[in-house]
Amino acid sequence: MNEKLQAVRGMNDILPEDAARWEYLEDVLRNWLRSYGYRNVRTPLVEHTRLFHRAIGGATDIVEKEMYSFEDSLNGEHLSLRPESTAPTVRMAIEHNLLHSGGQRLYYFGPMFRHERPQKGRYRQFHQVGVEALGYPGPDVDAELLLMCHRLWGMLGLTGIRLELNCLGSPMERAAHRTALVEYFNSRKNLLDEDSTRRLSLNPLRILDSKNPDLQALIEDAPRLTDYLGTDSLSHFNELQEILSDAGIEFRVNSRLVRGLDYYNLTVFEWVTDKLGAQGTVCGGGRYDGLFEQLGGKSTPACGWAMGMERLLSLVEAEGHGLGSAVPAVYLVSQGEFARRYAFKVSGVLRACGVSVIQHCGGGSFKSQMKKADGSGARLAVIIGDNEALRDEVTIKDLRTGGDQLRLRLDVTGQAVMMKLHQ
Ligand code: ATP
Ligand code: MG
């Protein structure tokens, strides 16, 4: 009866102190994305399950075991909480003919849902920021996607995030490689584990992604996709590497990098770090030129990446330049009937000057208000008594460094507060 109510396992509340850090990071990210010409889009949290089956692939971990799927009890539709946003974004672009006048650079923020085992850096509701560059064949735009990430690490003061890169080639090249892989693993079936045996017929490429240590030697010797790439794929990959090298960005070509979703071709990449324990991938993405057609649209080249916000935030907290705080600059104290009404004018003036203000509510003695001001963490108290209010003046007190109080005319207060804050 009286069972304690709690959030669903793996789904987190974000409390005010943390939410302030999220907002700060989101602001930085938004400005950074806009500076490359990416524009925001928002798709629903719920989509038809078949969208993800068709886009991500039925034999992937996400679709096979991580999706929150359910039947709408009112009309029987098969729906899923979105596990990622590339498929919804492409669905949206097709549905609204978004590319009628050319390429689109888009970004999104938001919660994604995957039924995984919760642990640090891995949740059932987690958040991504992602970009999709739709309608560009690359490799210039592939490079842009990576250069922008590299710049972000610098902006946030993050070090030690390495770039791993691979080229998955064309569907034909992958098919030839796949045939060779199946032959290879088929003739060594006795060495495979249960999961890989199942994947052998469903999606043999995913065996290469296995984390089972017993399989690593076998995987190491398996036929490499690189040996099946044709000239177009190779020159796409080479050009991308040239642009990265010109920009001084270090990377490692990892021929084992296949990524957990089926829709990729040519470029795939991950940004990884050792500073997050087992959950070391901060950002992953690549090119998915076949996805538009797969979802019933016109053939359209496209690529993108998605970044885990929780993992990025952990990194920024551990070694970044410092994050924003929810603490306002000013706590506004008023004593006396006239002063209390005048306080609304003062807070309005301060906010118009760009100063964040908590206006004391609930009355109480001057002493108890000053105690609240102290406890709020605000840098300054702006104090109004009837005396000040009648003269259009306020008193400013620095709550952190102490020192003399300052009495000022209201019309110069905003400026004075700003100067104090930046001292
Ligand atoms: P992983 O190998 O860690 O499971 P993934 O390849 O499944 O990652 P993507 O689908 O490429 O991840 O998603 C892009 C990014 O989103 C990841 O690099 C990671 O930062 C973040 N991410 C993915 N799944 C989760 C999760 N369950 N909880 C928190 N962040 C996640
Ligand atoms: Mg995963």
Side-chain angles (χ1 to χ4, degrees):
M1 256 324 240
N2 256 335
E3 197 188 335
K4 213 161 95 196
L5 288 170
Q6 287 183 325
V8 174
R9 183 163 136 82
M11 307 203 179
N12 301 311
D13 296 312
I14 303 176
L15 303 181
E17 282 302 319
D18 284 334
R21 290 190 262 276
W22 279 77
E23 284 191 311
Y24 168 85
L25 185 60
E26 285 160 4
D27 282 348
V28 171
L29 293 172
R30 233 171 247 126
N31 287 328
W32 161 71
L33 291 163
R34 286 183 190 142
S35 79
Y36 288 82
Y38 285 75
R39 297 189 301 155
N40 184 228
V41 288
R42 300 164 192 229
T43 61
L45 299 192
V46 177
E47 297 274 355
H48 292 290
T49 301
R50 60 179 178 276
L51 169 66
F52 300 112
H53 272 263
R54 267 165 71 179
I56 301 176
T60 56
D61 278 354
I62 294 181
V63 169
E64 240 183 9
K65 45 190 184 202
E66 296 174 1
M67 262 207 315
Y68 282 91
S69 297
F70 56 96
E71 206 178 297
D72 186 325
S73 60
L74 298 178
N75 61 12
E77 284 186 316
H78 295 278
L79 305 176
S80 293
L81 297 183
R82 63 181 188 194
E84 57 99 56
S85 271
T86 298
T89 304
V90 170
R91 190 235 353 107
M92 177 197 69
I94 297 170
E95 189 171 331
H96 301 277
N97 194 20
L98 209 60
L99 276 80
H100 69 277
S101 60
Q104 292 278 342
R105 286 177 164 87
L106 307 174
Y107 77 85
Y108 59 81
F109 277 94
M112 308 295 155
F113 303 85
R114 295 184 195 177
H115 197 103
E116 305 195 69
R117 194 169 68 77
Q119 51 198 294
K120 189 173 169 349
R122 191 175 293 287
Y123 310 99
R124 291 180 173 174
Q125 174 175 323
F126 62 100
H127 297 76
Q128 286 182 339
V129 52
V131 303
E132 315 293 353
L134 308 179
Y136 307 99
D140 46 6
V141 82
D142 310 36
E144 173 180 284
L145 291 183
L146 294 168
L147 293 179
M148 67 198 284
C149 290
H150 185 259
R151 184 162 149 254
L152 180 70
W153 314 144
M155 282 165 59
L156 293 172
L158 305 180
T159 56
I161 305 184
R162 303 183 310 275
L163 175 58
E164 305 231 323
L165 205 58
N166 193 17
C167 177
L168 297 184
S170 69
M172 289 248 295
E173 290 153 5
R174 283 172 76 170
H177 173 237
R178 184 190 155 111
T179 307
L181 262 189
V182 171
E183 256 170 45
Y184 173 83
F185 284 123
N186 250 330
S187 61
R188 293 162 182 81
K189 240 182 184 159
N190 54 328
L191 301 174
L192 293 178
D193 62 10
E194 196 186 318
D195 224 27
S196 301
T197 309
R198 209 167 37 82
R199 282 174 173 166
L200 185 54
S201 52
L202 286 169
N203 189 353
L205 212 67
R206 299 275 291 125
I207 300 178
L208 304 178
D209 223 13
S210 167
K211 305 250 154 61
N212 183 349
D214 297 340
L215 293 185
Q216 295 314 307
L218 185 69
I219 289 172
E220 196 48 45
D221 285 341
R224 285 170 190 266
L225 178 59
T226 328
D227 299 328
Y228 292 80
L229 296 181
T231 46
D232 285 355
S233 296
L234 283 173
S235 71
H236 190 281
F237 197 32
N238 285 338
E239 261 184 69
L240 170 62
Q241 294 181 53
E242 272 165 25
I243 303 174
L244 294 177
S245 299
D246 284 350
I249 295 179
E250 286 176 29
F251 57 87
R252 185 173 83 94
V253 175
N254 174 0
S255 60
R256 293 297 169 215
L257 186 67
V258 293
R259 314 261 313 117
L261 302 88
D262 277 358
Y263 50 57
Y264 290 111
N265 67 301
L266 291 171
T267 313
V268 288
F269 54 83
E270 286 185 351
W271 290 95
V272 292
T273 173
D274 298 327
K275 295 177 181 167
L276 290 176
Q279 270 55 252
T281 311
V282 189
C283 173
R287 180 158 283 284
Y288 49 89
D289 296 334
L291 188 56
F292 272 76
E293 260 185 308
Q294 214 168 302
L295 296 182
K298 269 197 314 225
S299 169
T300 306
C303 57
W305 52 246
M307 229 177 252
M309 286 290 289
E310 284 83 358
R311 294 183 195 178
L312 184 59
L313 210 58
S314 297
L315 280 178
V316 175
E317 273 163 19
E319 61 157 5
H321 286 323
L323 288 165
S325 121
V327 175
V330 165
Y331 195 98
L332 185 57
V333 167
S334 59
Q335 181 73 63
E337 206 176 311
F338 186 56
R340 204 146 37 236
R341 278 164 52 198
Y342 184 66
F344 285 92
K345 181 175 173 188
V346 174
S347 60
V349 166
L350 289 174
R351 289 191 190 110
C353 295
V355 178
S356 56
V357 182
I358 294 185
Q359 184 173 340
H360 179 82
C361 287
S365 68
F366 177 71
K367 202 169 149 203
S368 75
Q369 289 190 41
M370 283 308 286
K371 234 170 137 176
K372 286 246 166 66
D374 244 336
S376 75
R379 167 79 193 275
L380 303 172
V382 169
I383 302 163
I384 320 165
D386 282 345
N387 210 346
E388 278 104 339
L390 283 167
R391 291 191 173 80
D392 243 346
E393 290 177 352
V394 302
T395 295
I396 298 179
K397 180 179 161 88
D398 193 322
L399 293 168
R400 306 300 145 206
T401 61
D404 289 341
Q405 301 192 2
L406 206 63
R407 187 149 164 175
L408 292 170
R409 286 209 339 266
L410 178 59
D411 55 5
V412 297
T413 300
Q415 216 179 356
V417 166
M418 278 308 221
M419 276 172 64
K420 253 205 156 331
L421 292 175
H422 291 111
Q423 261 169 20

